[in-house]
């Protein structure tokens, strides 16, 4: 579930739908198509989100000259196609039916005529092939304008796109097109991509229900399930998302990611192993059993008829770090908590300080059950994917 980015470049004419259905490991991936004009910010979005590229270094990114496939392992396996600015429906090299979502990036200070025309072209073509495809518009580089100009430009882009769609056909009057105001300089980009991702997660209702139960049992006003690497929240409870709270959680997660590698669990220290009350006694050197071995062996290696296998050492207990910080020195106050749920997913929740201080055992108990629920949902999804 770790948000890991792998980029493979292909010639546009060499791509086809069969080659992109799965990569070498055989994983079936949900496809997202990233479109936009040249220098609209498509590549910088992906690099900042999934490759942790410092914002200042985005100035040195080269323009995308050919389609790049980005293989991203997050809560669901993704395959994102980063396309050059001159890509059209005919030169894409794949059917639009292969994609679950199309994200179109528009520079908020760009001339609107060409990007709007291109967006409408892809919407009309995609709806003829795959009416269920999700369309998202990122009105990007919002940091360049003052607040009033930003809102006005956003409104104009929205109106022009919808007017052009109605001119194409009256059926597009109620077309579900989602617009997001984004920037790589704040957390609006992560919030927008989280909303894109939510529509692709089949288990989202179950994750939301787990978060609702956690909030109810711990008096938490808000809780998020974050991908720790990309800082995208893959689920949240059903209460409205407050932008300030979301930004605070992202900043706290960034801080923990920065300082986390400096620490490690005592369970990894062999000097501490002799103090572990659950450690199994070391078997004597003669405690081995011959085990017949069947099957093929590498060329040039004689087949083994038996092997002497030592008793495997006891498995290390899983280490789930947690942290908390007080957001207000006054009472009653609020505490922001962090609990690792899986190696790459973390629960961040706001809790009343009195609840966290006086009933921390209850909070930890609910975290344990939340972790078990997420694990069961994840394993059920894997079994369902194998069966299908």
């Amino acid at each position: 579930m770790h948000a890991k980015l792998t980029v493979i470049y292909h010639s546009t004419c060499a791509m086809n739908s069969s080659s992109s259905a799965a990569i070498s490991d055989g994983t079936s991936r949900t496809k997202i198509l990233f479109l936009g004009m040249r220098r609209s910010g498509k590549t910088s979005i992906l690099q900042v989100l999934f490759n942790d590229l410092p914002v200042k270094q985005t100035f040195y990114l080269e323009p995308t000259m050919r389609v790049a496939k980005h293989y991203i392992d997050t809560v669901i396996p993704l395959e994102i196609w980063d396309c050059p600015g001159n890509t059209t429906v005919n030169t894409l090299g794949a059917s639009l039916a292969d994609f679950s979502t199309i994200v179109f990036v528009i520079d908020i200070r760009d001339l609107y005529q060409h990007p709007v025309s291109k967006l409408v072209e892809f919407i009309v073509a995609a709806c003829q092939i795959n009416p269920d495809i999700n369309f998202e518009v990122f009105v990007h580089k919002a940091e360049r304008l003052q607040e009033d100009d930003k809102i006005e430009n956003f409104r104009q882009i929205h109106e022009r796109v919808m007017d052009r769609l109605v001119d194409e056909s009256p059926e597009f009057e109620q077309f579900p097109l989602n617009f997001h105001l984004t920037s790589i300089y704040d957390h609006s980009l992560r919030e927008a991509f989280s909303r894109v991702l939510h529509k692709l997660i089949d288990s989202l209702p179950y994750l939301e229900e787990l978060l609702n139960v956690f909030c109810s049992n711990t008096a938490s006003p808000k809780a998020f399930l974050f991908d720790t690497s990309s800082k995208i929240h893959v689920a949240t409870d059903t209460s409205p998302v407050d932008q300030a709270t979301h930004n605070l959680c992202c900043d706290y997660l960034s801080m923990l990611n920065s300082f986390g590698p400096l620490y490690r669990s005592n369970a990894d220290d062999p000097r501490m192993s002799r103090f572990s009350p659950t450690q199994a006694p070391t078997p004597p050197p003669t405690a081995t059993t011959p085990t017949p071995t069947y099957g093929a062996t590498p060329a040039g290696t004689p087949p083994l008829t038996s092997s002497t296998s030592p008793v495997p050492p006891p498995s290390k207990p899983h280490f789930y770090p947690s942290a908390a910080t007080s957001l207000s020195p006054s009472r009653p106050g609020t505490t922001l908590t962090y609990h690792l749920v899986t190696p790459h997913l973390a629960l961040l929740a706001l809790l009343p300080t009195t609840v966290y201080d006086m009933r921390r055992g209850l909070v930890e108990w609910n975290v344990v059950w939340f972790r078990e629920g997420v694990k069961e949902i994840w394993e059920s999804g894997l079994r369902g994917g194998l069966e299908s």
Side-chain angles (χ1 to χ4, degrees):
M1 286 194 249
H2 179 48
K4 178 180 65 178
L5 179 79
T6 305
V7 186
I8 298 180
Y9 293 98
H10 296 266
S11 171
T12 304
C13 61
M15 276 190 286
N16 53 68
S17 58
S18 61
S19 65
S20 60
I23 58 174
S24 58
D25 61 0
T27 303
S28 178
R29 295 178 175 270
T30 301
K31 294 184 182 179
I32 299 177
L33 183 63
F34 253 71
L35 298 169
M37 305 304 293
R38 185 177 181 272
R39 289 292 186 182
S40 60
K42 304 181 297 299
T43 303
S44 62
I45 286 176
L46 297 176
Q47 293 295 330
V48 169
L49 278 179
F50 300 109
N51 217 23
D52 205 21
L53 181 72
V55 172
K56 293 182 179 180
Q57 293 187 18
T58 59
F59 292 104
Y60 307 107
L61 290 175
E62 295 293 333
T64 303
M65 303 305 296
R66 56 189 186 276
V67 177
K69 294 182 183 179
H70 301 259
Y71 299 115
I72 300 169
D73 294 317
T74 178
V75 65
I76 57 174
L78 297 177
E79 181 180 329
I80 300 181
W81 288 32
D82 183 11
C83 299
N86 59 355
T87 302
T88 64
V89 176
N90 297 326
T91 62
L92 178 61
S95 172
L96 294 177
D98 297 337
F99 298 93
S100 300
T101 298
I102 294 180
V103 178
F104 198 94
V105 183
I106 299 179
D107 188 336
I108 195 171
R109 294 186 62 181
D110 199 0
L111 297 176
Y112 304 149
Q113 180 178 357
H114 293 297
V116 169
S117 299
K118 185 173 183 177
L119 172 59
V120 171
E121 173 192 352
F122 271 91
I123 291 176
V124 173
C127 289
Q128 295 175 352
I129 302 173
N130 181 12
D132 296 328
I133 195 170
N134 300 316
F135 270 92
E136 312 286 338
V137 180
F138 285 4
V139 183
H140 197 47
K141 302 183 181 180
E143 75 283 348
R144 293 185 173 186
L145 299 177
Q146 298 294 328
E147 191 66 28
D148 293 342
D149 296 334
K150 186 188 308 181
I151 295 174
E152 177 62 22
N153 286 22
F154 182 80
R155 183 189 62 81
Q156 288 185 12
I157 293 174
H158 184 279
E159 288 183 353
R160 292 191 184 191
V161 172
M162 299 310 297
D163 289 345
R164 285 292 305 275
L165 284 175
V166 173
D167 292 342
E168 290 290 332
S169 172
E171 298 178 357
F172 289 111
E173 186 173 359
Q174 301 298 326
F175 184 75
L177 187 59
N178 304 294
F179 289 79
H180 310 271
L181 197 62
T182 61
S183 170
I184 59 175
Y185 289 90
D186 55 35
H187 299 301
S188 60
L189 179 59
R190 290 184 169 84
E191 172 66 18
F193 201 89
S194 296
R195 296 182 182 276
V196 173
L197 190 62
H198 291 172
K199 299 177 182 179
L200 305 176
I201 303 175
D202 294 334
S203 59
L204 182 64
Y206 308 106
L207 295 174
E208 289 179 344
E209 185 59 28
L210 282 177
L211 288 164
N212 288 336
V213 172
F214 175 84
C215 290
S216 176
N217 292 344
T218 59
S220 171
K222 193 62 187 174
F224 295 92
L225 183 64
F226 271 92
D227 182 296
T228 56
S229 178
S230 63
K231 296 182 286 294
I232 293 174
H233 73 270
V234 300
T236 183
D237 63 287
T238 53
S239 63
V241 176
D242 177 60
Q243 190 67 40
T245 302
H246 173 265
N247 295 348
L248 183 66
C249 291
C250 288
D251 289 335
Y252 190 50
L253 190 55
S254 297
M255 185 271 292
L256 293 176
N257 286 346
S258 299
F259 290 94
L262 300 176
Y263 301 89
R264 63 189 178 96
S265 169
N266 284 339
D268 297 332
D269 191 344
R271 294 175 300 177
M272 300 297 294
S273 60
R274 65 177 183 271
F275 299 110
S276 175
T278 59
Q279 184 180 9
T282 304
T286 58
T288 58
T289 56
T291 304
T293 304
Y294 306 96
T297 58
T301 303
L304 299 177
T305 56
S306 63
S307 63
T308 303
S309 303
V311 176
S315 59
K316 292 182 180 180
H318 291 291
F319 176 61
Y320 297 104
S322 61
T325 183
S326 178
L327 303 181
S328 174
S330 61
R331 297 288 178 173
T334 303
T335 297
L336 176 60
T337 63
Y338 164 95
H339 293 87
L340 195 66
V341 176
T342 73
H344 307 294
L345 291 178
L347 171 66
L348 276 82
L350 294 176
L351 294 173
T353 301
T354 53
V355 172
Y356 183 75
D357 290 342
M358 302 177 63
R359 308 183 69 182
R360 189 174 304 180
L362 176 64
V363 174
E364 298 290 344
W365 185 83
N366 278 275
V367 170
V368 170
W369 283 106
F370 179 84
R371 183 180 294 120
E372 291 298 319
V374 172
K375 181 180 178 182
E376 184 176 344
I377 291 173
W378 174 249
E379 291 176 348
S380 298
L382 289 179
R383 289 195 299 269
L386 293 176
E387 292 174 359
S388 60

